[in-house]
Amino acid sequence: MEFITGCCLSKDFQDKMGCFRICMVSDFFYPNMGGVESHIYQLSSCLIERGHKVIIVTHHYKERKGVRFLANGLKVYYLPFPPFYNQCVLPTIFPTFPLLRNIFLRERIQIVHGHSAFSTLGHEAMFHARTMGLRTVFTDHSLFGFADASSILTNKVLSFSLADCTHCICVSHTCKENTVLRADMQPSLVSVIPNAVDPTVFLPDPTKRCLDTITIVVISRLVYRKGMDLLAGLIPGIAAKYPQVQFIIGGDGPKRILLEEVREQHQLLDRVHMLGSLEHSKIRDVLVQGDIMLNTSLTEAFCIAIVEAACCGLQVVSTKVGGIPEVMPPGLIYLAQPSIEGLTEQLEKAIEDRIDGRQPDPFELHNKIKSLYSWRDVARRTEAVYETVQETPLPDISTRLQRFRQCGLVSGRLFMLTAILNLIWLLVLQYIWPAQSVELAEEFTASKKKQSEGSKICSSPSTEILGQISKNTS
């Protein structure tokens, strides 16, 4: 392993003790909007605030290619790999190695942190990083089943990816149990660090509410997994029983057609408002118009959307699935069984509380959420994981191959062959393009300047791109 490690980093490149050079990798990042994207950006911003060097690697989005800096000094590599399916690149393994190796060398990366079990690029980057002798961390943001064909295939890929991963982070205890079972990991190698919310962005504003109307807000991807069939089933009954209730639905997806049909069939065009896809910077403006936040997900590891809604002072009604019961105390959320009847019952309770004036004060609710969740606390706990990972001894090649072999009778041998071929590919790359000849990246001065503790953690990066600083990669 000395040669493999030496190909990547020399001791002269190592930063001072306590500061790490981290590469976040995922197919999901801005300008795409979602929980994973927000998590990566907020965590990276706070790690930079704590003095670490952080870069992000993702695939290109339309015309956004090459290297860009965000306003807080966060460097983003938009690689010339197009999305293949569901915003993820085509799984190819070997063709991505030369470019990723070059980035790891240029930035003197110590830890590669992959995000999301759906992310092909994240899994490949961690695999290549381990081949180069780097330490890896993986954050799982989702829950999966065990019976259907899609879950079986995804779990097998996850077991291959995490067999050689140094440490894993899950966003809830339910997510941890799910990941340990799916990937056959030791529970001691999995930590639980929840998501958080930026309280300086999600501030309540009761003046935006309609006094004579009860507004129910739904912000979600309009897909089956988010329970859009349940939403379509409960809207007509609630609308008929409570004429003062209106719905605001933000998001897009294949189930939008179903919701449009229900709206037209029951003549609710003036009471069910479809906003379509929303930029993350606009979500707060929609939330403050509502009285109740409704989440109908069929599976959820954490659900940061309900935390953002509660931080804006909304009463939350949600399905009791996955890690959602861990997110907020019982007094701050109505939990329902994932059925039309269960959701309708709990939603009616929330509406009656609103009518009778028993809803919590929006600013008191905001302060409770602010005390429970903080991105700075998430960064501090993630930093502790990095410290543990950095002290973990690197396995030799035979140990790595043995781990892959344990993934299955047939698939294990296939994984072993893939790892061996990747090692040979690394030797070829080292011969063609020696590590010593790779030019080191210059440090961006803004990243060296620490933000003050009282400063705002971040703003929407989509409006704060400083510009492309390198030649676009075609």
Side-chain angles (χ1 to χ4, degrees):
M1 280 299 289
E2 287 120 3
F3 171 72
I4 302 301
T5 305
C7 287
C8 185
L9 291 172
S10 70
K11 292 182 179 180
D12 295 336
F13 290 167
Q14 298 294 331
D15 282 354
K16 63 182 180 179
M17 185 62 66
C19 292
F20 301 108
R21 306 183 71 89
I22 306 148
C23 178
M24 304 280 184
V25 189
S26 180
D27 283 293
F28 310 106
F29 194 65
Y30 295 108
N32 195 45
M33 300 295 176
V36 176
E37 293 86 343
S38 177
H39 178 102
I40 295 172
Y41 179 78
Q42 298 278 17
L43 174 59
S44 300
S45 299
C46 289
L47 287 171
I48 290 174
E49 187 181 73
R50 295 181 66 86
H52 303 288
K53 168 70 177 181
V54 184
I55 66 167
I56 294 175
V57 174
T58 187
H59 62 72
H60 76 80
Y61 285 88
K62 296 183 179 178
E63 300 303 319
R64 185 169 294 185
K65 301 178 183 178
V67 184
R68 298 194 178 209
F69 279 108
L70 305 189
N72 59 355
L74 182 59
K75 191 176 186 179
V76 185
Y77 284 85
Y78 290 96
L79 304 186
F81 304 127
F84 172 69
Y85 174 74
N86 198 23
Q87 290 299 319
C88 296
V89 300
L90 180 70
T92 54
I93 302 181
F94 303 114
T96 59
F97 198 3
L99 191 52
L100 289 171
R101 171 181 176 268
N102 181 269
I103 293 173
F104 297 158
L105 291 171
R106 279 176 53 82
E107 301 291 346
R108 294 163 286 172
I109 296 301
Q110 296 171 282
I111 298 172
V112 175
H113 191 158
H115 290 263
S116 180
F118 293 104
S119 175
T120 305
L121 187 60
H123 290 306
E124 291 188 7
M126 291 192 299
F127 178 56
H128 298 322
R130 289 298 304 115
T131 302
M132 295 174 65
L134 299 176
R135 292 166 172 84
T136 57
V137 176
F138 174 74
T139 296
D140 199 354
H141 298 262
S142 305
L143 299 178
F144 284 86
F146 299 89
D148 59 285
S150 175
S151 296
I152 292 172
L153 179 60
T154 304
N155 293 344
K156 182 57 68 174
V157 172
L158 188 67
S159 66
F160 165 59
S161 181
L162 299 189
D164 199 29
C165 185
T166 315
H167 202 87
C168 184
I169 297 174
C170 293
V171 295
S172 67
H173 291 280
T174 302
C175 182
K176 175 180 177 177
E177 294 175 4
N178 184 262
T179 301
V180 167
L181 290 174
R182 287 159 52 210
D184 194 23
M185 291 189 69
Q186 297 181 24
S188 60
L189 297 179
V190 184
S191 300
V192 176
I193 303 176
N195 283 316
V197 64
D198 184 357
T200 64
V201 173
F202 293 93
L203 291 168
D205 188 358
T207 62
K208 300 295 184 181
R209 297 180 180 180
C210 297
L211 298 179
D212 56 347
T213 303
I214 299 175
T215 303
I216 299 172
V217 178
V218 179
I219 296 181
S220 171
R221 291 192 299 275
L222 307 185
V223 296
Y224 171 78
R225 188 173 67 87
K226 295 296 183 178
M228 291 302 108
D229 296 277
L230 300 179
L231 179 61
L234 67 85
I235 286 177
I238 293 294
K241 186 172 182 178
Y242 300 98
Q244 71 273 44
V245 168
Q246 67 171 353
F247 289 83
I248 297 178
I249 302 175
D252 206 351
K255 289 293 182 180
R256 178 169 182 167
I257 298 175
L258 173 63
L259 296 174
E260 296 277 9
E261 290 176 350
V262 169
R263 187 172 72 151
E264 293 182 7
Q265 180 180 353
H266 295 273
Q267 299 179 355
L268 298 173
L269 296 177
D270 59 334
R271 296 177 60 189
V272 178
H273 306 282
M274 307 289 294
L275 304 182
S277 181
L278 292 172
E279 293 183 6
H280 192 263
S281 59
K282 303 294 184 183
I283 290 178
R284 183 260 177 187
D285 297 334
V286 176
L287 288 174
V288 295
Q289 301 176 39
D291 301 281
I292 299 169
M293 168 67 174
L294 177 62
N295 174 57
T296 59
S297 293
L298 300 178
T299 176
E300 202 75 67
F302 183 86
C303 192
I304 196 171
I306 64 176
V307 180
E308 293 173 344
C311 197
C312 286
L314 278 70
Q315 179 66 66
V316 177
V317 178
S318 175
T319 46
K320 188 178 180 180
V321 296
I324 290 179
E326 303 175 32
V327 175
M328 288 193 290
L332 303 183
I333 186 172
Y334 293 88
L335 292 173
Q337 294 301 317
S339 65
I340 295 176
E341 295 77 14
L343 278 167
T344 300
E345 179 184 352
Q346 296 302 318
L347 188 56
E348 288 179 352
K349 289 182 181 180
I351 293 172
E352 294 294 340
D353 284 350
R354 168 67 174 80
I355 294 173
D356 297 338
R358 294 195 300 265
Q359 269 195 329
D361 178 77
F363 292 97
E364 289 183 4
L365 192 54
H366 171 82
N367 290 331
K368 288 181 180 178
I369 297 299
K370 182 179 179 180
S371 66
L372 289 173
Y373 295 105
S374 165
W375 282 113
R376 288 191 174 96
D377 180 60
V378 171
R380 179 185 57 80
R381 295 166 70 174
T382 305
E383 186 182 76
V385 171
Y386 291 156
E387 291 172 354
T388 302
V389 165
Q390 198 65 15
E391 295 172 358
T392 303
L394 292 172
D396 55 28
I397 295 176
S398 61
T399 303
R400 290 188 64 218
L401 296 179
Q402 183 62 30
R403 289 176 180 177
F404 290 132
R405 185 179 180 182
Q406 294 173 355
C407 291
L409 182 62
V410 177
S411 59
R413 286 169 170 77
L414 181 61
F415 295 159
M416 284 179 61
L417 177 61
T418 305
I420 293 171
L421 292 176
N422 212 42
L423 286 167
I424 296 173
W425 186 213
L426 175 62
L427 295 174
V428 173
L429 292 173
Q430 173 66 9
Y431 177 78
I432 298 174
W433 198 351
Q436 295 77 10
S437 66
V438 177
E439 182 181 0
L440 301 182
E442 293 185 7
E443 299 297 329
F444 183 50
T445 55
S447 65
K448 296 179 180 179
K449 183 179 179 181
K450 275 195 173 184
Q451 301 175 5
S452 61
E453 285 298 315
S455 64
K456 187 176 178 181
I457 294 177
C458 73
S459 301
S460 174
S462 59
T463 60
E464 297 192 31
I465 300 293
L466 292 185
Q468 191 167 344
I469 58 107
S470 72
K471 188 179 293 183
N472 283 355
T473 308
S474 52

